[in-house]
Amino acid sequence: MQKRSGLRRPKKKRSHPGDVSVRALFLVGFMGAGKSSVGRALGERLGWTFVDLDERIERREGRTVAELFRTSGEQKFRRAERAALRELLKELQTGSAMIVALGGGAFVQKENAAGIKSIGVPTVFLDAPVAELWGRCQQQRSSKQVDRPLLIDAQGFQGLYDARRPGYLKASLRMETSGKDAAAVAAEVARAFDLDRRKGV
Ligand code: S3P
C-alpha cells in the first residue's frame, strides 16, 4: 500500500475534563435538562458570569422566546439564536470566565456546534431519561416558570429527543442528571473539569 505523502496537520487542541485552560463552559441538552439552573449554580460556585442564551435572544429581539416562535416562526427564532451565539462567542475570546446555558435546539444546529468547537470551549450534555425530562417540563409549565413552544405532547417530545440525542452526544462530556438537584450536578461538572481551583479566575 502506498504511503500518503505531505505534511501532517497538527492536531487541534481539544478541551477535555481536567484542562487547566478552561475559561468557559457550555451546557447543552434537551428541554428540562436543567441547563439554566445548573448553569446558575455553577456560575455562583465559581464566581463566573452566567449567561442564558435564551435570555440574550429575548433582550436582543425585545420579545420572549415564546412570542418569537408564535409571531415569527421557528426559522426566525433559529436565526436570532445563531446571531446571539455568534455575538457571545466573540465576547468569549476576550471577556470574563463564563458558564453558558444553551436552549435545547441550539447545539444540534451544525453551524452553532461548529462555532463553539472552533474556540475550543468544552460542552457538557446534561442528560436524563426522557420521561423525567417530560415530567420536569410539565411541572415548570404548571407553575408557569417557562413557556416552551415546542412542548406539545409526550410523543412529539420523545421523537424530538431521539432525533437530537446524537447531536448532544457530540458534547465533550455527557452527565447523567437523573434524580440529582442543580447544586449536585454543578459540583460534578466542577469536579470533572477541575474547576474549583479556578474560582473567580
Ligand atoms: C427549544 C428549547 C428552549 C428554547 C426554545 C427552543 C428547543 O430552551 O430555546 O423554546 O428547540 O428545544 P430550553 O431547552 O431551555 O427549554
Side-chain angles (χ1 to χ4, degrees):
M1 201 201 221
Q2 214 183 343
K3 265 193 174 173
R4 278 204 295 166
S5 60
L7 290 173
R8 273 226 187 122
R9 274 201 206 153
K11 271 194 183 156
K12 252 197 166 175
K13 189 170 170 278
R14 294 193 60 186
S15 299
H16 54 80
D19 188 337
V20 289
S21 67
V22 169
R23 291 190 72 251
L25 198 118
F26 278 67
L27 300 173
V28 310
F30 204 51
M31 293 174 270
K35 303 175 294 288
S36 302
S37 44
V38 171
R40 209 163 285 120
L42 196 52
E44 272 167 28
R45 184 184 176 103
L46 301 173
W48 290 15
T49 305
F50 168 66
V51 175
D52 185 308
L53 191 69
D54 280 340
E55 283 176 12
R56 273 282 179 118
I57 299 168
E58 294 182 340
R59 260 211 326 271
R60 280 171 57 101
E61 302 295 319
R63 282 184 288 173
T64 67
V65 166
E67 281 164 358
L68 254 172
F69 259 81
R70 290 178 185 131
T71 56
S72 306
E74 181 168 355
Q75 265 200 349
K76 263 260 174 72
F77 168 75
R78 296 296 169 205
R79 213 173 300 149
E81 187 176 53
R82 280 196 296 277
L85 180 63
R86 269 198 305 272
E87 179 187 88
L88 187 63
L89 292 178
K90 269 196 206 138
E91 278 171 39
L92 267 177
Q93 323 261 18
T94 50
S96 57
M98 236 180 239
I99 302 292
V100 182
L102 295 184
F107 190 63
V108 296
Q109 313 291 318
K110 280 197 180 119
E111 186 185 323
N112 295 341
I116 294 168
K117 206 173 167 198
S118 73
I119 63 162
V121 167
T123 43
V124 180
F125 167 28
L126 300 181
D127 199 14
V130 74
E132 188 170 332
L133 296 170
W134 173 254
R136 292 181 196 165
C137 288
Q138 289 306 315
Q139 204 188 354
Q140 290 165 356
R141 173 150 72 183
S142 54
S143 58
K144 298 209 173 3
Q145 283 178 51
V146 198
D147 184 1
R148 293 187 168 97
L150 291 180
L151 191 67
I152 299 159
D153 57 47
Q155 212 184 345
F157 191 81
Q158 171 87 57
L160 192 57
Y161 173 83
D162 291 342
R164 286 178 175 178
R165 197 176 148 81
Y168 296 141
L169 286 170
K170 291 185 181 146
S172 323
L173 182 74
R174 185 187 84 88
M175 184 151 292
E176 186 56 58
T177 66
S178 182
K180 299 173 192 163
D181 66 17
V185 178
E188 267 189 64
V189 174
R191 221 175 5 257
F193 289 89
D194 199 13
L195 294 178
D196 281 334
R197 68 195 172 96
R198 302 184 47 77
K199 278 183 188 168
V201 173

